[in-house]
Structure formats: structure tokens, C-alpha cells
């Protein structure tokens, strides 16, 4: 039988304090960063395409000789839905990132994580917040100014 099972230890992994395990922990940490960056790249694409669709069809309706669309609000709704999906992807990615970082700094891996448990801030948090603010920027003027038609 395994020694871990005999001792009643319920740890999931046998973590040894070796250089190879430390570098494996670092590779995992960097993989988590790359995953967050991939999520943010996807979020930026969704938000950008959402803005592009709204602007394109808004300008298309204003062109002389263009016929009216059968569903004039459909393009705007699609664009807003894409913007919303991009914002939600950014929020979910930050949640998943924070969960994985807490796991990597848990007591199980503290022996191979590094010298001390310092708070490591990544610029990706700031990037995500700015991305979400940019996505909501078209809606902000309505919050501060009355949007009633005149």
C-alpha cells in the first residue's frame, strides 16, 4: 500500500521541495497568466466586433440610396450582445485567474512556490478593468445626462 494511504494523509499530491518541482510550479503559474491573456484577447475581439457591427450598420442606414432594414434594431442588439459577452468573458477570466492563483499559493504548494508568499500583482488586472470600462463607455453618458428624446 502507499505510505500516504497508510498515514491517513488526505493530500492530493506528493509535493517535494526540489528544483524540478519549483520550475514546474513556475511553468504552471505562467500558464495561468497566458490563459488570462488569451481570455482578454478574446474579450477584446468580441467587444471590438460588437462596436464595429453597431457602427457599420448605423452608418449603412444613413447612406443615401440604402434601403431600410427589415429589422432595424437587430444589428444594434447583436453588437450589444457581443459587447456583453466580451465583458462577461473578462469578468469570468479574472475570477478563474484568482481561483487558480489562490490554489497555487495554497499550503500544499507553499514549499515549492517560492521564498515568501508576497502579493504578486499583475498588470492584467488593470488591463481587464480598463477593458470593461471601455466596453461600457457608450452607456456612461446616459448615466450622467438625461437621455430622453426631445
Amino acid at each position: 500500500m502507499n505510505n500516504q494511504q497508510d498515514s491517513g494523509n488526505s493530500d492530493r499530491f506528493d509535493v517535494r521541495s526540489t528544483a524540478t518541482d519549483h520550475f514546474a510550479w513556475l511553468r504552471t503559474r505562467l500558464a495561468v497568466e497566458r490563459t488570462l491573456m488569451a481570455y482578454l484577447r478574446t474579450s477584446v475581439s468580441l467587444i471590438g466586433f460588437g462596436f464595429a457591427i453597431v457602427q457599420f450598420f448605423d452608418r449603412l442606414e444613413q447612406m443615401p440610396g440604402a434601403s431600410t432594414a427589415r429589422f432595424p434594431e437587430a444589428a444594434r442588439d447583436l453588437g450589444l450582445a457581443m459587447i456583453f459577452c466580451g465583458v462577461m468573458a473578462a469578468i469570468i477570466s479574472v475570477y478563474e485567474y484568482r481561483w487558480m492563483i489562490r490554489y497555487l499559493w495554497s499550503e500544499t504548494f507553499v514549499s515549492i512556490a517560492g521564498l515568501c508568499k508576497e502579493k504578486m500583482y499583475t498588470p492584467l488586472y488593470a488591463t481587464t478593468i480598463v477593458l470593461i470600462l471601455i466596453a461600457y463607455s457608450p452607456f456612461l453618458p446616459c448615466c450622467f445626462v438625461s437621455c430622453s428624446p426631445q
Side-chain angles (χ1 to χ4, degrees):
M1 250 184 153
N2 190 352
N3 289 340
Q4 273 186 323
Q5 291 174 348
D6 290 339
S7 66
N9 190 356
S10 64
D11 285 342
R12 189 170 172 189
F13 302 107
D14 181 28
V15 179
R16 300 175 313 273
S17 294
T18 63
T20 56
D21 287 348
H22 174 67
F23 287 125
W25 185 90
L26 288 174
R27 282 191 300 273
T28 304
R29 172 77 167 84
L30 292 173
V32 171
E33 292 280 329
R34 286 191 304 272
T35 302
L36 178 61
M37 288 188 285
Y39 264 117
L40 290 180
R41 185 176 54 235
T42 303
S43 297
V44 167
S45 297
L46 284 168
I47 292 168
F49 284 134
F51 280 134
I53 288 172
V54 170
Q55 290 297 315
F56 176 77
F57 283 103
D58 187 41
R59 298 271 172 17
L60 184 67
E61 289 176 359
Q62 296 173 0
M63 291 179 68
S67 62
T68 58
R70 183 179 293 180
F71 303 106
E73 298 297 318
R76 183 181 143 281
D77 294 343
L78 175 65
L80 291 176
M82 289 180 74
I83 293 170
F84 177 76
C85 287
V87 169
M88 290 307 297
I91 291 169
I92 291 168
S93 68
V94 168
Y95 174 76
E96 182 178 317
Y97 174 81
R98 288 181 51 88
W99 182 83
M100 275 304 296
I101 293 301
R102 278 195 301 265
Y103 175 69
L104 287 174
W105 279 105
S106 67
E107 292 299 319
T108 306
F109 301 110
V110 76
S111 63
I112 62 172
L115 295 174
C116 59
K117 187 178 179 180
E118 295 177 357
K119 290 283 188 183
M120 294 177 54
Y121 295 104
T122 178
L124 294 175
Y125 282 138
T127 305
T128 305
I129 292 168
V130 169
L131 174 70
I132 291 170
L133 290 175
I134 288 172
Y136 281 125
S137 64
F139 309 110
L140 291 179
C142 288
C143 296
F144 301 112
V145 180
S146 175
C147 292
S148 60
Q150 298 189 19

